[in-house]
Amino acid sequence: MGSSDRLSVATRKGLFLLERRPGGWEIERCAFLGDPVSMVLDDPRDGTLYAALALGHFGVKLHRSDDRGRTWAEVAAPAFPAEPAGAGEAPSVQQLWALEPAGPDRPGALWAGTIPAALFRSGDRGASWSLVRALWDRPERKDWGGGGYDQPGLHSIAVDPRDPRRLLCAISTGGVWGTADAGETWALRATGMYAEYMPPERRGDPNAQDVHRLAQAPTAPERLYAQHHNGVFRSVDGGERWTEITAIRPSKFGFAVAVHPRDPRTAWFVPAVKDERRVPVDGKLVVARTRDGGDTFELLREGLPQEHAYDLVYRHGLAVDAGGDRLAMGSTTGGLWISEDGGDRWVQHPARLPPVYQVAFGQASR
């Protein structure tokens, strides 16, 4: 596939849609200016744009555009069904934290992850949603905890391109969960991870793992990478077993990870100091790239600030396009950088953006 000339940037104060033109990347339009846009999906199946808003007291909203953001229509947002009489009040969705197509052969079908941690499905382009009760009703859910938010959240959904019934979901904090039957049954998939923040007896508990981001290799879906709260992990068997990647530098803490669309051994991470100091190591913003599955890393810094840089890249703030050469990265201080050569060199966009929650490339150009 060719490189993408479309980039969506979801921020705390709006959605910015960029296009690559002869003179570089330009902001084509802005939508929902002033509103927090927690998640965006540029659906590769039909080019539909979806934007999720987290409006606090006004709740979570979901909008859909069929004309590249020129006009928008509000559709249903995922919501918990009413509890039976006497069972108490149903929880409310606080944020839509993941949004993914449900497979190339399922047009209009979507998966959504939320805070509190739950998985929802839609078969009609977001017009209606249903809660995946088999995951929500797992007894292990009572032990999930908030990882940066008061409640746990489901932020990563990896759909197997060979079989869309198979998917993995990562929860902060609640480990990795997998299904092979489109959500009818679930099993924990975090064996081999460890949690430094837990007491010794629960250090290796798969249900206690705080996975910051889960990424799957499109051409080898059994190969997975995870940026964990206290390390970087990989799996080569679809999540059955994880091993720590100890070669990551300059630190093992971070949020973002992206995997090359064709080379499953190439992945990018954005390290920060640690949980208590969420800034780049030594004030130098770098991207760590591996080309051998995590055995070794090189630090990419050309075009990135190397002095007094305090940019944090959130878990959805790094993306690679379908061609594998273009990357985009957005930070909590509104920095936006784009690379055209796999991260060797970066160019900062001149716009002074709000804090960036997510960057996402659109359909590749032919």
Side-chain angles (χ1 to χ4, degrees):
M1 297 183 68
S3 296
S4 175
D5 291 336
R6 289 167 35 172
L7 180 65
S8 301
V9 183
T11 79
R12 195 170 71 186
K13 297 182 181 180
L15 174 64
F16 297 86
L17 304 174
L18 283 72
E19 276 198 2
R20 188 179 187 277
R21 296 172 180 166
W25 289 86
E26 298 182 14
I27 296 177
E28 178 188 10
R29 60 180 55 89
C30 175
F32 314 109
L33 187 60
D35 293 332
V37 180
S38 66
M39 185 58 46
V40 61
L41 171 64
D42 194 331
D43 195 331
R45 298 169 299 184
D46 58 11
T48 303
L49 269 176
Y50 298 87
L53 279 59
L55 299 178
H57 294 300
F58 299 101
V60 169
K61 307 294 181 184
L62 183 63
H63 295 259
R64 183 179 69 204
S65 174
D66 293 315
D67 54 11
R68 183 53 186 163
R70 293 176 178 84
T71 61
W72 295 85
E74 185 174 352
V75 294
F80 289 95
E83 295 288 350
E89 187 176 349
S92 60
V93 172
Q94 298 179 8
Q95 182 171 306
L96 202 157
W97 215 11
L99 191 58
E100 296 289 345
D105 60 343
R106 299 185 178 188
L110 303 167
W111 293 107
T114 63
I115 301 174
L119 182 68
F120 291 81
R121 64 161 63 95
S122 172
D124 51 17
R125 302 174 73 228
S128 63
W129 294 89
S130 59
L131 172 67
V132 178
R133 294 226 59 125
L135 182 59
W136 179 253
D137 292 337
R138 292 289 308 194
E140 296 90 341
R141 184 172 65 84
K142 71 180 187 303
D143 293 323
W144 296 351
Y149 290 89
D150 291 338
Q151 298 191 58
L154 195 158
H155 53 71
S156 297
I157 302 170
V159 181
D160 191 326
R162 303 166 303 187
D163 181 359
R165 296 172 300 175
R166 305 180 65 89
L167 62 149
L168 292 165
C169 299
I171 295 168
S172 180
T173 300
V176 178
W177 289 82
T179 178
D181 51 21
E184 295 298 320
T185 59
W186 293 87
L188 268 167
R189 292 286 185 265
T191 299
M193 294 180 177
Y194 67 90
E196 293 177 342
Y197 44 82
M198 297 300 292
E201 65 273 14
R202 292 200 62 199
R203 176 183 170 96
D205 182 354
N207 199 47
Q209 303 306 314
D210 184 3
V211 180
H212 284 179
R213 184 73 168 127
L214 174 72
Q216 185 176 56
T219 55
E222 67 280 358
R223 182 175 285 269
L224 303 154
Y225 297 88
Q227 174 66 67
H228 188 284
H229 186 85
N230 52 243
V232 173
F233 295 84
R234 69 183 167 205
S235 174
V236 295
D237 56 10
E240 293 290 339
R241 182 77 188 178
W242 294 85
T243 57
E244 186 177 9
I245 295 176
T246 58
I248 185 73
R249 54 191 181 94
S251 70
K252 64 180 183 177
F253 179 83
F255 289 93
V257 54
V259 184
H260 194 283
R262 295 186 307 277
D263 179 4
R265 294 171 62 81
T266 295
W268 298 264
F269 301 81
V270 189
V273 176
K274 58 181 178 178
D275 179 32
E276 301 87 352
R277 191 175 299 160
R278 300 183 176 193
V279 296
V281 176
D282 297 327
K284 304 176 189 296
L285 181 61
V286 299
V287 175
R289 179 179 63 196
T290 179
R291 286 174 163 165
D292 53 17
D295 292 339
T296 62
F297 282 85
E298 55 189 321
L299 296 185
L300 312 174
R301 62 178 79 242
E302 185 174 340
L304 300 177
Q306 297 300 293
E307 186 178 7
H308 292 297
Y310 306 110
D311 299 83
L312 182 70
V313 175
Y314 281 150
R315 63 198 77 211
H316 301 108
L318 175 70
V320 59
D321 78 345
D325 291 326
R326 286 183 181 160
L327 290 100
M329 178 172 65
S331 80
T332 55
T333 49
L336 175 65
W337 294 268
I338 299 172
S339 172
E340 304 279 349
D341 51 16
D344 288 337
R345 291 169 295 278
W346 297 83
V347 175
Q348 184 171 10
H349 195 279
R352 296 174 60 84
L353 295 174
V356 175
Y357 293 150
Q358 182 193 9
V359 294
F361 285 100
Q363 288 181 302
S365 55
R366 299 295 180 182

